[in-house]
Each structure stands twice: as structure tokens, then as C-alpha cells.
Coordinates of all heavy atoms in Angstrom, one line a residue:
M106 N 140.3 160.9 53.6 CA 141.0 159.7 53.4 C 142.0 159.5 54.5 O 142.7 160.5 54.9 CB 141.7 159.8 52.0 CG 142.4 158.6 51.6 SD 141.3 157.1 51.1 CE 140.5 157.8 49.7
L107 N 142.1 158.4 55.0 CA 143.1 158.1 56.1 C 144.4 157.6 55.5 O 144.5 157.0 54.5 CB 142.6 156.9 56.9 CG 141.2 157.2 57.8 CD1 140.9 155.9 58.5 CD2 141.4 158.3 58.7
L108 N 145.5 157.9 56.3 CA 146.8 157.4 56.0 C 147.2 156.5 57.1 O 147.4 156.9 58.3 CB 147.8 158.6 55.9 CG 149.2 158.1 55.4 CD1 149.2 157.7 54.0 CD2 150.1 159.4 55.4
L109 N 147.2 155.2 56.8 CA 147.5 154.2 57.9 C 148.9 153.7 57.8 O 149.4 153.6 56.7 CB 146.5 153.0 57.7 CG 145.1 153.2 57.9 CD1 144.2 152.1 57.4 CD2 144.8 153.4 59.4
D110 N 149.5 153.7 59.0 CA 150.9 153.2 59.0 C 151.1 151.8 59.3 O 151.0 151.3 60.4 CB 151.6 154.0 60.1 CG 153.1 153.9 60.1 OD1 153.7 153.2 59.1 OD2 153.7 154.4 61.0
C111 N 151.2 151.0 58.2 CA 151.3 149.4 58.3 C 152.7 149.2 59.0 O 153.6 149.7 58.6 CB 151.2 148.8 56.9 SG 151.6 147.0 57.1
P112 N 152.7 148.4 60.0 CA 153.9 148.0 60.7 C 155.0 147.4 59.8 O 156.2 147.4 60.1 CB 153.6 147.2 61.9 CG 152.2 146.7 61.6 CD 151.5 147.7 60.6
H113 N 154.5 146.8 58.7 CA 155.5 146.1 57.8 C 155.8 147.0 56.5 O 157.0 147.0 56.1 CB 154.9 144.7 57.3 CG 154.6 144.0 58.5 ND1 155.6 143.2 59.2 CD2 153.4 143.6 59.2 CE1 155.0 142.5 60.2 NE2 153.6 142.8 60.1
C114 N 154.9 147.7 56.1 CA 155.1 148.4 54.8 C 155.1 150.0 54.9 O 155.5 150.6 54.0 CB 153.9 148.1 53.9 SG 153.5 146.4 53.7
G115 N 154.9 150.5 56.1 CA 155.0 151.9 56.2 C 153.6 152.6 55.9 O 152.6 152.0 55.7
P116 N 153.6 153.9 55.8 CA 152.3 154.7 55.6 C 151.8 154.3 54.2 O 152.5 154.4 53.3 CB 152.8 156.2 55.7 CG 154.1 156.1 56.3 CD 154.7 154.8 56.1
R117 N 150.4 154.0 54.2 CA 149.8 153.8 53.0 C 148.4 154.3 53.0 O 147.8 154.6 54.1 CB 149.7 152.2 52.8 CG 150.9 151.5 52.6 CD 151.5 151.8 51.2 NE 152.7 150.9 50.9 CZ 153.9 151.1 51.3 NH1 154.2 152.0 52.0 NH2 154.9 150.2 50.9
D118 N 147.8 154.5 51.8 CA 146.5 155.1 51.7 C 145.4 154.1 52.2 O 145.6 152.9 52.1 CB 146.2 155.4 50.2 CG 145.0 156.4 50.2 OD1 145.2 157.5 50.3 OD2 143.9 155.8 49.9
E119 N 144.4 154.6 52.8 CA 143.3 153.8 53.4 C 142.7 152.8 52.4 O 142.3 151.7 52.8 CB 142.2 154.7 53.8 CG 141.0 154.2 54.3 CD 139.9 155.2 54.5 OE1 140.1 156.4 54.3 OE2 138.8 154.8 54.9
N120 N 142.7 153.1 51.0 CA 142.1 152.1 50.2 C 142.8 150.9 49.9 O 142.4 149.9 49.3 CB 141.7 152.8 48.9 CG 142.8 153.4 48.1 OD1 144.0 153.0 48.5 ND2 142.6 154.3 47.2
E121 N 144.0 150.7 50.5 CA 144.8 149.4 50.5 C 144.3 148.5 51.6 O 144.8 147.3 51.7 CB 146.3 149.7 50.7 CG 146.9 150.4 49.5 CD 148.4 150.4 49.5 OE1 149.0 149.7 50.3 OE2 149.0 151.2 48.8
F122 N 143.5 148.9 52.5 CA 143.2 148.2 53.7 C 141.7 147.8 53.8 O 140.9 148.4 53.2 CB 143.5 149.0 55.0 CG 145.0 149.4 55.0 CD1 145.5 150.5 54.5 CD2 145.9 148.6 55.7 CE1 146.8 150.9 54.5 CE2 147.3 148.9 55.9 CZ 147.6 150.1 55.2
H123 N 141.4 146.8 54.6 CA 140.1 146.4 55.0 C 139.9 146.6 56.5 O 140.8 146.2 57.3 CB 139.9 144.9 54.6 CG 138.5 144.3 55.0 ND1 137.5 144.6 54.4 CD2 138.2 143.6 56.2 CE1 136.4 144.0 54.9 NE2 136.9 143.4 56.0
Y124 N 138.8 147.3 56.8 CA 138.5 147.5 58.2 C 138.1 146.3 58.9 O 137.2 145.6 58.4 CB 137.4 148.7 58.3 CG 137.0 149.0 59.7 CD1 137.9 149.8 60.4 CD2 135.8 148.7 60.1 CE1 137.5 150.2 61.7 CE2 135.4 149.2 61.4 CZ 136.2 149.9 62.2 OH 135.9 150.2 63.5
G125 N 138.6 146.1 60.1 CA 138.2 144.8 60.9 C 137.4 145.1 62.1 O 137.1 144.2 62.8
G126 N 137.1 146.3 62.4 CA 136.2 146.5 63.6 C 137.1 146.8 64.8 O 138.3 146.9 64.8
Q127 N 136.3 146.7 65.9 CA 136.9 147.0 67.3 C 137.9 146.0 67.6 O 137.7 144.8 67.4 CB 135.8 147.0 68.3 CG 136.3 147.3 69.6 CD 135.2 147.4 70.7 OE1 134.0 147.2 70.4 NE2 135.5 147.6 72.0
A128 N 139.1 146.3 68.2 CA 140.2 145.5 68.6 C 139.8 145.0 70.0 O 139.3 145.8 70.8 CB 141.5 146.2 68.5
G129 N 140.3 143.8 70.3 CA 140.3 143.3 71.7 C 138.9 143.0 72.2 O 138.7 143.0 73.4
V130 N 138.0 142.5 71.3 CA 136.8 142.0 71.8 C 137.0 140.6 72.3 O 137.4 139.8 71.5 CB 135.7 142.0 70.6 CG1 134.4 141.5 71.2 CG2 135.6 143.4 70.2
P131 N 136.7 140.3 73.6 CA 137.1 139.0 74.1 C 136.1 137.9 73.6 O 134.9 138.2 73.5 CB 137.1 139.2 75.6 CG 136.1 140.3 75.8 CD 136.3 141.2 74.6
Y132 N 136.6 136.7 73.2 CA 135.8 135.6 72.8 C 135.2 135.1 74.0 O 135.8 134.9 75.1 CB 136.7 134.6 72.2 CG 136.0 133.5 71.4 CD1 135.7 133.7 70.1 CD2 135.7 132.3 72.0 CE1 135.0 132.7 69.4 CE2 135.1 131.3 71.3 CZ 134.7 131.5 70.0 OH 134.0 130.5 69.3
P133 N 133.9 134.7 73.9 CA 133.1 134.2 75.1 C 133.8 132.9 75.6 O 134.0 132.1 74.7 CB 131.7 134.1 74.7 CG 131.6 134.7 73.3 CD 133.0 134.9 72.8
A134 N 133.9 132.8 76.9 CA 134.5 131.6 77.5 C 133.4 130.6 77.9 O 132.2 131.0 78.4 CB 135.4 131.9 78.7
G135 N 133.6 129.4 77.7 CA 132.7 128.3 78.0 C 131.3 128.4 77.3 O 131.3 128.8 76.2
E136 N 130.4 127.8 77.9 CA 129.0 127.7 77.3 C 128.4 129.1 77.3 O 128.6 129.9 78.3 CB 128.2 126.8 78.0 CG 128.6 125.4 78.0 CD 127.6 124.4 77.7 OE1 126.5 124.7 77.5 OE2 127.8 123.1 77.8
T137 N 127.8 129.6 76.2 CA 127.2 130.8 76.1 C 125.8 130.8 75.8 O 125.3 129.8 75.1 CB 127.9 131.7 75.1 OG1 127.7 131.1 73.9 CG2 129.3 131.9 75.4
T138 N 125.0 131.7 76.3 CA 123.7 131.9 75.9 C 123.5 132.5 74.5 O 124.5 133.1 74.0 CB 122.8 132.7 76.9 OG1 123.3 134.1 76.9 CG2 122.9 132.1 78.3
D139 N 122.4 132.4 73.9 CA 122.2 133.1 72.6 C 122.4 134.6 72.7 O 123.0 135.2 71.8 CB 120.8 132.8 72.1 CG 120.6 131.4 71.5 OD1 121.6 130.7 71.4 OD2 119.3 131.0 71.4
E140 N 122.0 135.2 73.9 CA 122.1 136.6 74.0 C 123.6 137.0 74.2 O 124.1 138.0 73.6 CB 121.4 137.0 75.4 CG 119.8 137.1 75.2 CD 119.3 135.6 75.2 OE1 120.0 134.7 75.8 OE2 118.1 135.4 74.7
E141 N 124.4 136.2 74.9 CA 125.8 136.5 75.1 C 126.5 136.3 73.8 O 127.4 137.1 73.4 CB 126.4 135.5 76.1 CG 126.0 135.7 77.5 CD 126.4 134.5 78.5 OE1 126.5 133.4 78.0 OE2 126.6 134.9 79.6
W142 N 126.2 135.3 73.0 CA 126.8 135.1 71.6 C 126.4 136.3 70.7 O 127.3 136.8 69.9 CB 126.4 133.8 71.0 CG 127.1 133.5 69.7 CD1 126.7 133.4 68.5 CD2 128.5 133.1 69.7 NE1 127.6 133.3 67.7 CE2 128.8 133.0 68.2 CE3 129.6 133.0 70.6 CZ2 130.0 132.8 67.8 CZ3 130.8 132.8 70.1 CH2 131.0 132.6 68.8
A143 N 125.1 136.6 70.7 CA 124.7 137.8 69.9 C 125.5 139.1 70.3 O 125.8 139.8 69.4 CB 123.2 138.0 70.0
A144 N 125.7 139.3 71.5 CA 126.4 140.5 72.0 C 127.9 140.4 71.5 O 128.4 141.5 71.1 CB 126.4 140.5 73.6
Y145 N 128.5 139.2 71.6 CA 129.9 139.1 71.1 C 130.0 139.4 69.6 O 130.8 140.1 69.1 CB 130.4 137.6 71.4 CG 131.7 137.4 70.6 CD1 132.9 137.9 71.0 CD2 131.7 136.6 69.6 CE1 134.1 137.7 70.4 CE2 132.9 136.3 68.8 CZ 134.0 136.8 69.3 OH 135.2 136.6 68.6
V146 N 129.0 138.9 68.8 CA 129.0 139.1 67.4 C 128.6 140.4 66.9 O 129.3 141.1 66.1 CB 128.1 138.1 66.7 CG1 127.9 138.3 65.2 CG2 128.5 136.7 66.9
F147 N 127.7 141.1 67.6 CA 127.0 142.3 67.1 C 127.2 143.6 67.8 O 127.2 144.7 67.3 CB 125.6 142.1 66.8 CG 125.1 141.0 65.9 CD1 124.6 140.0 66.4 CD2 125.5 141.3 64.6 CE1 124.2 139.0 65.4 CE2 125.1 140.3 63.6 CZ 124.5 139.1 64.1
V148 N 127.5 143.5 69.1 CA 127.6 144.7 70.1 C 129.0 145.2 70.1 O 129.9 144.4 70.5 CB 127.0 144.5 71.4 CG1 127.1 145.7 72.3 CG2 125.5 144.0 71.3
R149 N 129.3 146.5 69.7 CA 130.5 147.1 69.8 C 130.5 148.5 70.5 O 129.4 149.1 70.4 CB 131.2 147.3 68.3 CG 131.4 145.9 67.7 CD 132.5 145.1 68.4 NE 132.7 143.8 67.8 CZ 132.3 142.7 68.1 NH1 131.4 142.6 69.2 NH2 132.6 141.6 67.5
D150 N 131.5 148.9 71.0 CA 131.6 150.2 71.5 C 131.6 151.3 70.4 O 131.9 150.9 69.3 CB 133.0 150.4 72.3 CG 133.1 149.6 73.6 OD1 132.1 149.1 74.1 OD2 134.2 149.4 74.0
N151 N 131.0 152.4 70.7 CA 131.0 153.5 69.7 C 131.3 154.9 70.3 O 130.5 155.7 70.6 CB 129.6 153.5 69.1 CG 129.4 154.5 68.0 OD1 130.4 154.8 67.4 ND2 128.2 155.0 67.7
P152 N 132.7 155.0 70.8 CA 133.0 156.2 71.5 C 133.1 157.4 70.7 O 133.4 157.3 69.5 CB 134.3 155.6 72.2 CG 134.9 154.8 71.0 CD 133.8 154.1 70.5
K153 N 133.1 158.5 71.3 CA 133.5 159.7 70.7 C 134.9 160.1 71.3 O 135.0 160.5 72.3 CB 132.4 160.9 71.0 CG 132.7 162.3 70.5 CD 131.7 163.2 70.8 CE 131.9 164.6 70.1 NZ 130.9 165.5 70.5
G154 N 135.9 159.7 70.5 CA 137.2 159.9 71.0 C 138.1 158.7 70.5 O 137.8 158.2 69.4
W155 N 139.0 158.3 71.2 CA 140.0 157.3 70.8 C 139.4 155.9 70.8 O 138.6 155.6 71.7 CB 141.2 157.3 71.6 CG 142.1 158.5 71.4 CD1 142.2 159.6 72.2 CD2 142.9 158.8 70.2 NE1 143.0 160.5 71.6 CE2 143.5 160.0 70.4 CE3 143.2 158.0 69.1 CZ2 144.3 160.6 69.5 CZ3 144.0 158.6 68.1 CH2 144.6 159.9 68.3
F156 N 139.6 155.1 69.7 CA 139.0 153.9 69.6 C 140.1 152.9 69.0 O 140.7 153.2 67.9 CB 137.9 154.1 68.6 CG 137.0 152.8 68.4 CD1 136.4 152.2 69.5 CD2 136.8 152.2 67.1 CE1 135.6 151.1 69.3 CE2 136.0 151.1 66.9 CZ 135.4 150.5 68.1
R157 N 140.3 151.7 69.6 CA 141.2 150.7 69.1 C 140.5 149.9 68.1 O 139.4 149.3 68.4 CB 141.7 149.9 70.2 CG 142.6 150.5 71.2 CD 142.9 149.6 72.5 NE 143.5 148.4 72.1 CZ 144.8 148.1 72.1 NH1 145.6 149.1 72.3 NH2 145.3 147.0 71.7
E158 N 141.1 149.7 66.8 CA 140.5 149.0 65.8 C 141.5 148.2 65.1 O 142.7 148.5 65.0 CB 139.7 149.9 64.9 CG 140.5 151.1 64.4 CD 139.6 152.2 63.7 OE1 138.4 152.3 64.1 OE2 140.1 153.0 63.0
R159 N 141.0 147.1 64.4 CA 141.9 146.2 63.5 C 141.7 146.6 62.1 O 140.7 147.0 61.6 CB 141.4 144.8 63.8 CG 141.5 144.3 65.1 CD 142.9 144.0 65.6 NE 143.3 142.8 65.0 CZ 144.6 142.4 64.9 NH1 145.5 143.1 65.5 NH2 144.9 141.2 64.4
W160 N 142.9 146.6 61.4 CA 142.9 146.8 59.9 C 143.7 145.7 59.3 O 144.7 145.1 59.9 CB 143.6 148.2 59.7 CG 142.7 149.3 60.0 CD1 142.6 150.0 61.2 CD2 141.8 150.0 59.2 NE1 141.8 151.0 61.2 CE2 141.3 151.0 59.9 CE3 141.6 149.9 57.8 CZ2 140.3 151.9 59.3 CZ3 140.6 150.8 57.3 CH2 140.1 151.7 58.0
F161 N 143.3 145.2 58.1 CA 144.0 144.2 57.4 C 144.6 144.9 56.0 O 143.8 145.5 55.3 CB 143.0 143.1 57.0 CG 143.6 142.0 56.1 CD1 144.6 141.2 56.6 CD2 143.0 141.7 54.9 CE1 145.1 140.2 55.9 CE2 143.6 140.7 54.2 CZ 144.6 139.9 54.7
H162 N 145.9 144.7 55.9 CA 146.5 145.2 54.6 C 146.3 144.3 53.5 O 147.2 143.6 53.1 CB 148.0 145.5 54.9 CG 148.6 146.4 53.9 ND1 149.9 146.8 54.1 CD2 148.1 147.1 52.9 CE1 150.2 147.7 53.0 NE2 149.2 147.8 52.3
V163 N 145.1 144.4 52.9 CA 144.7 143.5 51.9 C 145.5 143.6 50.6 O 145.7 142.7 49.8 CB 143.2 143.6 51.7 CG1 142.8 144.9 51.1 CG2 142.7 142.5 50.7
H164 N 145.9 144.9 50.2 CA 146.7 145.1 48.9 C 148.1 145.3 49.3 O 148.7 146.1 48.6 CB 146.1 146.3 48.2 CG 144.7 146.1 47.7 ND1 144.4 145.1 46.8 CD2 143.5 146.6 48.2 CE1 143.1 145.1 46.7 NE2 142.5 145.9 47.4
G165 N 148.6 144.6 50.3 CA 150.0 144.8 50.6 C 150.5 143.5 51.3 O 150.5 142.5 50.6
C166 N 151.0 143.6 52.6 CA 151.7 142.4 53.1 C 150.6 141.4 53.7 O 151.0 140.4 54.2 CB 152.5 142.9 54.4 SG 151.6 143.8 55.6
R167 N 149.3 141.8 53.6 CA 148.2 140.8 54.1 C 148.3 140.4 55.5 O 148.2 139.2 55.9 CB 148.1 139.6 53.1 CG 148.0 140.0 51.7 CD 147.6 138.8 50.8 NE 146.4 138.2 51.1 CZ 145.2 138.6 50.9 NH1 145.0 139.8 50.3 NH2 144.1 137.9 51.2
T168 N 148.6 141.4 56.4 CA 148.6 141.1 57.9 C 147.7 142.0 58.6 O 147.4 143.1 58.0 CB 150.1 141.3 58.5 OG1 150.5 142.6 58.2 CG2 150.9 140.3 57.9
W169 N 147.2 141.6 59.7 CA 146.3 142.3 60.5 C 147.2 143.2 61.6 O 148.2 142.6 62.0 CB 145.4 141.4 61.3 CG 144.3 140.8 60.5 CD1 144.3 139.6 59.9 CD2 143.0 141.4 60.2 NE1 143.1 139.4 59.2 CE2 142.4 140.5 59.4 CE3 142.4 142.6 60.5 CZ2 141.0 140.8 59.0 CZ3 141.1 142.8 60.1 CH2 140.5 141.9 59.3
F170 N 146.7 144.3 61.9 CA 147.4 145.1 62.9 C 146.3 146.0 63.6 O 145.3 146.2 63.1 CB 148.6 145.8 62.4 CG 148.2 146.9 61.3 CD1 148.0 148.2 61.6 CD2 148.0 146.4 60.0 CE1 147.6 149.1 60.6 CE2 147.8 147.4 59.0 CZ 147.5 148.7 59.2
T171 N 146.7 146.5 64.8 CA 145.9 147.4 65.5 C 146.3 148.8 65.5 O 147.6 149.0 65.7 CB 145.8 146.8 67.0 OG1 145.3 145.5 66.9 CG2 144.9 147.6 67.9
V172 N 145.4 149.8 65.4 CA 145.8 151.2 65.5 C 144.7 151.8 66.5 O 143.6 151.2 66.8 CB 145.7 151.9 64.1 CG1 146.6 151.3 63.2 CG2 144.3 152.0 63.6
E173 N 145.0 153.0 66.8 CA 144.0 153.8 67.6 C 143.6 155.0 66.8 O 144.6 155.6 66.3 CB 144.6 154.3 68.9 CG 144.7 153.2 69.9 CD 145.2 153.6 71.3 OE1 145.6 154.8 71.4 OE2 145.4 152.8 72.2
R174 N 142.4 155.2 66.5 CA 141.8 156.3 65.7 C 140.9 157.1 66.5 O 140.1 156.6 67.2 CB 141.2 155.6 64.4 CG 140.6 156.7 63.5 CD 140.0 156.1 62.3 NE 138.8 155.2 62.7 CZ 137.6 155.6 62.8 NH1 137.3 156.9 62.6 NH2 136.6 154.7 63.2
H175 N 141.0 158.4 66.4 CA 140.2 159.4 67.0 C 138.9 159.4 66.1 O 139.1 159.9 64.9 CB 140.8 160.7 67.2 CG 140.1 161.5 68.2 ND1 138.8 162.2 67.9 CD2 140.3 161.8 69.6 CE1 138.4 162.8 69.0 NE2 139.3 162.6 70.0
T176 N 137.7 159.1 66.7 CA 136.5 159.0 65.8 C 135.9 160.3 65.4 O 135.1 160.4 64.5 CB 135.4 158.3 66.5 OG1 135.1 158.9 67.8 CG2 135.8 156.7 66.8
V177 N 136.4 161.5 66.0 CA 136.0 162.8 65.6 C 137.1 163.4 64.6 O 136.6 163.8 63.5 CB 135.8 163.7 66.8 CG1 135.5 165.1 66.3 CG2 134.8 163.2 67.7
T178 N 138.3 163.3 64.9 CA 139.3 164.0 64.1 C 140.0 163.0 63.1 O 140.7 163.5 62.1 CB 140.4 164.6 65.0 OG1 141.1 163.5 65.6 CG2 140.0 165.6 66.0
H179 N 139.7 161.7 63.2 CA 140.4 160.6 62.4 C 141.9 160.5 62.6 O 142.6 160.0 61.7 CB 139.9 160.7 61.0 CG 138.5 160.5 60.8 ND1 137.9 159.3 61.1 CD2 137.5 161.3 60.5 CE1 136.5 159.4 60.9 NE2 136.3 160.6 60.6
E180 N 142.5 161.3 63.6 CA 143.9 161.1 63.8 C 144.2 159.7 64.1 O 143.4 159.0 64.9 CB 144.3 162.1 65.0 CG 145.7 162.1 65.4 CD 146.0 162.9 66.6 OE1 145.1 163.7 67.0 OE2 147.1 162.9 67.1
I181 N 145.3 159.2 63.7 CA 145.8 157.8 63.9 C 147.0 157.8 64.7 O 147.9 158.7 64.6 CB 146.1 157.2 62.5 CG1 144.9 157.2 61.6 CG2 146.6 155.8 62.7 CD1 143.9 156.2 61.8
R182 N 147.0 156.9 65.7 CA 148.3 156.6 66.5 C 148.5 155.2 66.8 O 147.5 154.4 66.7 CB 148.2 157.5 67.8 CG 147.1 156.9 68.8 CD 147.2 157.8 70.0 NE 146.2 157.3 71.0 CZ 145.8 157.9 72.0 NH1 146.3 159.1 72.3 NH2 145.0 157.3 73.0
K183 N 149.7 154.9 67.1 CA 150.0 153.4 67.4 C 149.4 153.2 68.8 O 149.3 154.0 69.7 CB 151.4 153.2 67.4 CG 152.0 153.3 66.1 CD 153.5 153.0 66.0 CE 154.0 153.0 64.5 NZ 155.4 152.8 64.4
P184 N 148.8 151.9 69.0 CA 148.2 151.7 70.3 C 149.2 151.7 71.5 O 150.3 151.2 71.2 CB 147.6 150.3 70.1 CG 148.3 149.8 69.0 CD 148.8 150.8 68.0
G185 N 148.8 152.3 72.5 CA 149.7 152.4 73.7 C 149.6 151.3 74.6 O 149.0 150.2 74.5
Ligands
ZN193 ZN1 151.5 146.1 55.0

């Protein structure tokens, strides 16, 4: 179980949150091909190590925020 530090509410249990996926995925600019759009919607990094991700505090302040999580140890830190 993860302990996420909401910037508004403080540390809370993982089950209060909704996972939002990879942070910082750029929206495609201008006209896009089907392949570019599919890559934007479906393709994400899958690193072994630190990963920036979005979380939504659905059972709290209902805001989105970004954290960095180590995908092996599940250590959480604020994004640098
Ligand atoms: Zn919160």
C-alpha cells in the first residue's frame, strides 16, 4: 500500500486516490495522423526506476498533483 502526500491534505492512504498515469505527456500540436494520435493516447514510458505520474485525490480535496514514484521500491518523492 502506498502512502501519498497530497499537497493540500497531507499524507493519505493510496485508496483515497485515483491513478492518472504518466505526467507530462505533451498534447500533439497541429494536425496529427492516426498513428500520432494513437501514440499520444496509448503509448507510455515504462521505466525501471523513477517515474513521474499524476494522482487525483478523489476522496479528499479532489485535485490532481504530480509525484515521482520508484517503480521497483514504490518510494515516493516530490517531483524535482
Ligand atoms: Zn487532497
Side-chain angles (χ1 to χ4, degrees):
M106 189 69 66
L107 295 175
L108 186 65
L109 294 164
D110 190 8
C111 174
H113 303 283
C114 307
R117 296 288 193 275
D118 196 83
E119 171 188 0
N120 60 17
E121 290 190 17
F122 298 88
H123 175 77
Y124 180 70
Q127 182 177 357
V130 178
Y132 194 83
E136 298 221 4
T137 59
T138 64
D139 288 345
E140 290 78 18
E141 290 169 331
W142 187 251
Y145 169 72
V146 173
F147 297 112
V148 178
R149 295 293 180 262
D150 295 338
N151 187 22
K153 182 178 184 180
W155 289 104
F156 186 60
R157 289 172 57 95
E158 54 195 20
R159 300 285 286 164
W160 286 86
F161 180 61
H162 197 178
V163 65
H164 296 294
C166 61
R167 303 192 59 80
T168 58
W169 286 95
F170 60 97
T171 301
V172 301
E173 290 182 355
R174 180 178 59 87
H175 197 283
T176 58
V177 176
T178 64
H179 298 291
E180 182 183 351
I181 301 283
R182 68 183 183 191
K183 292 183 179 176

